[in-house]
Amino acid sequence: MRITDWIMARLPHRQCPSTEFMYDDMASQSGYSLPVIYKELDVTRRGDWRDEGQILDFACVAGAGAKVLDLGPGDGWPSLRIAPFVAGVIGVDASRRRVQVCTENAARLGIPNARFGLVGADGTLPCASASLDAVVAASSFEQTPDPAAMLRECARVLVPGGRLRMSYEDLDRYRGGEETVTEVRRLRDGRTRLELVARDLGGETATMVRLYVGAGARGTAERLQGLTPDRLTPSLLEELAPDLEEVRVCTLRHPSGATWVRMLLEAGFRSAEGTENGGQVAADAFEHREVGTAPRTHAELREHLLPLVRVAQGRPVPLDRNPWITAIR
């Protein structure tokens, strides 16, 4: 029996959606690290080139004058960054905390054509049918309780010919050593949190468990320090159980590229394919930039990357490489 199965069978726990499991607790989903949203873009950093390339990717798919939905905007990414390129963007999330953060960031940055709202309690989007030109989703479909249902909702709100552009967290990247990981963290309230992530690559699912040890149980907290997955056994958990104040469990689907394409077609999209993405092209361009002629400002970087991103979106990539996906309604 896997340790996650043992926990769910033997320990009192609460099954949570990802919003309650983690996103409602985050003042900043990005750790205040996003260029433009939280700090000035630095044209000397590879990561900032990648970020700009990804933003241009989403913006190009949407197109000028488009009405766009950003599913799961986090801190306002990419919503707030693509807003200058489109007629309007609505960021939709199941977390009230995320909606609040995005709204505050939009006001602070003076972005008038971006607004944010909640997914309905029944999983519906707060948008009329055939009312949007594009949907962008940055690793967010896999965070929803029912990705297939959310794909159908996105198909519903798009106009015929409307486009969806999505990135996602596939599990292949964790193959060979990171299928199961643990992390121990001391929280501000004095409690200690043990987090276990168990990834089922074949089943395309990830189960996350958070066990909270009370602030007064210092001995137990010390025993957890440096805990590795192989040492997290049923016998140890039985010993820890009296000091556990709370156990949260969240299980999410993490489809592969091929599975996403199948689900998109089943959801009502007439085509779906994987392509190169602007972030990777931008990162490659950074590595090959020429001293003396490289972009010196944000505006120059955007002008430099835009044609590269447009070409990249037209280059198909095999689905077994889990590329970004464009789907057409």
Side-chain angles (χ1 to χ4, degrees), residues 103-114:
T103 301
E104 292 172 351
N105 284 342
R108 175 174 54 80
L109 296 168
I111 299 176
N113 64 331

Side-chain angles (χ1 to χ4, degrees), residues 53-163:
Q54 291 177 336
I55 291 300
L56 292 174
D57 187 305
F58 285 125
C60 286
V61 168
K67 297 178 182 177
V68 185
L69 172 83
D70 176 13
L71 181 68
D75 289 352
W77 197 101
S79 312
L80 299 178
R81 295 289 310 281
I82 67 173
F85 297 92
V86 301
V89 57
I90 175 172
V92 180
D93 206 292
S95 167
R96 292 185 181 276
R97 183 71 175 276
R98 304 269 52 83
V99 170
Q100 176 188 359
V101 168
C102 290
T103 301
E104 292 172 351
N105 284 342
R108 175 174 54 80
L109 296 168
I111 299 176
N113 64 331
R115 60 188 178 90
F116 300 89
L118 287 166
V119 175
D122 58 353
T124 57
L125 296 170
C127 308
S129 298
S131 63
L132 299 169
D133 302 298
V135 172
V136 295
S139 297
S140 54
F141 277 109
E142 62 269 34
Q143 299 297 322
T144 63
D146 187 344
M150 186 53 69
L151 289 176
R152 292 193 295 271
E153 268 296 281
C154 289
R156 177 185 68 80
V157 302
L158 281 171
V159 299
R163 291 185 166 195

Side-chain angles (χ1 to χ4, degrees), residues 180-199:
T180 303
V181 295
T182 54
E183 179 188 66
V184 178
R185 179 175 298 182
R186 181 67 61 87
L187 305 179
R188 291 182 178 179
D189 60 9
R191 294 188 300 171
T192 297
R193 185 183 73 202
L194 167 62
E195 180 164 315
L196 167 69
V197 181
R199 302 177 175 102

Side-chain angles (χ1 to χ4, degrees), residues 286-316:
F286 176 85
E287 298 296 343
H288 295 91
R289 71 195 188 285
E290 296 182 6
V291 177
T293 61
R296 295 169 296 177
T297 67
H298 187 178
E300 288 181 1
L301 177 62
R302 179 177 295 169
E303 183 179 357
H304 178 67
L305 293 179
L306 189 55
L308 301 178
V309 171
R310 285 174 171 156
V311 171
Q313 287 184 338
R315 292 197 192 108

Side-chain angles (χ1 to χ4, degrees), residues 32-47:
Y32 302 102
S33 65
L34 296 173
V36 180
I37 294 178
Y38 287 123
K39 63 180 185 179
E40 185 176 352
L41 185 141
D42 185 348
V43 295
T44 68
R45 293 187 70 252
R46 182 176 185 272

